[in-house]
Amino acid sequence: FFAPGATAEATWVVTVPSSDLDAGALLTMTTKASYANTSGGAAVGVFGNASTLLVEPRYGVSMTNASGDTTSSQTDLTVGATVTLNLTVSNAGNAPDLVDITTSVSGGSAPEAWVCQTYRADGATPLVGKLGPIEADGSEDVEVHCYLPIGAAATTADTSIAVTASSDANPDESATFTH
């Protein structure tokens, strides 16, 4: 209960569904309070000041093949052959972002002998620098070509190729495709 003229402070928390709003969007909130007159009068509504909130950017990356998978089964790898991975890199955030694409090869007797190159969707134009910018909820296709040069003293048994896409704005946000 409040005495006439008394004040009280209220705090509230607002959760904005980040998938619904782009970074930089402005949200306007107006608070409303109501009270009932216990002497028999009607309830009275009082509106407060409007507040404007700025939606902060959220970054995220996903990467899949044409089937929507994040892994593909190993094909027979032979010395001199090229493994081509057709991948879609998607911006799962709410702001445009550049994406860094890296590859690594592990397993086999000489993973360091593998040569990998990332190309734009046409499969002929090398990706120089970062991919993008990719708009929020947008995507870009890339091709990754990896091969083991003829004459390399290595086996391809148990070889794994990992392609990682990392957000430039938040490198902790990444996705890896494994072949």
Side-chain angles (χ1 to χ4, degrees), residues 5 11 24 40 48 51 57 75 78 86 93 98 100 104 107 109 112 121 156 158 172:
T11 303
S51 299
T75 58
T78 58
N86 295 298
L98 295 170
D100 188 32
S104 64
S109 62
E112 69 281 354
T156 57
D158 301 320
D172 291 336

Side-chain angles (χ1 to χ4, degrees), residues 84-114:
T84 300
L85 303 173
N86 295 298
L87 303 172
T88 299
V89 179
S90 300
N91 180 347
N94 68 350
D97 199 2
L98 295 170
V99 177
D100 188 32
I101 307 289
T102 58
T103 57
S104 64
V105 179
S106 60
S109 62
E112 69 281 354
W114 283 83

Side-chain angles (χ1 to χ4, degrees), residues 24-76:
L26 297 175
L27 300 175
T28 302
M29 296 185 337
T30 303
T31 56
K32 178 183 177 182
S34 63
Y35 64 91
N37 182 337
T38 57
S39 301
V44 177
V46 178
F47 288 90
N49 293 333
S51 299
T52 301
L53 303 174
L54 175 66
V55 176
E56 294 290 328
R58 176 186 54 80
Y59 299 98
V61 178
S62 67
M63 184 168 41
T64 61
N65 62 11
S67 300
D69 299 321
T70 58
T71 61
S72 62
S73 60
Q74 190 86 9
T75 58
D76 289 336

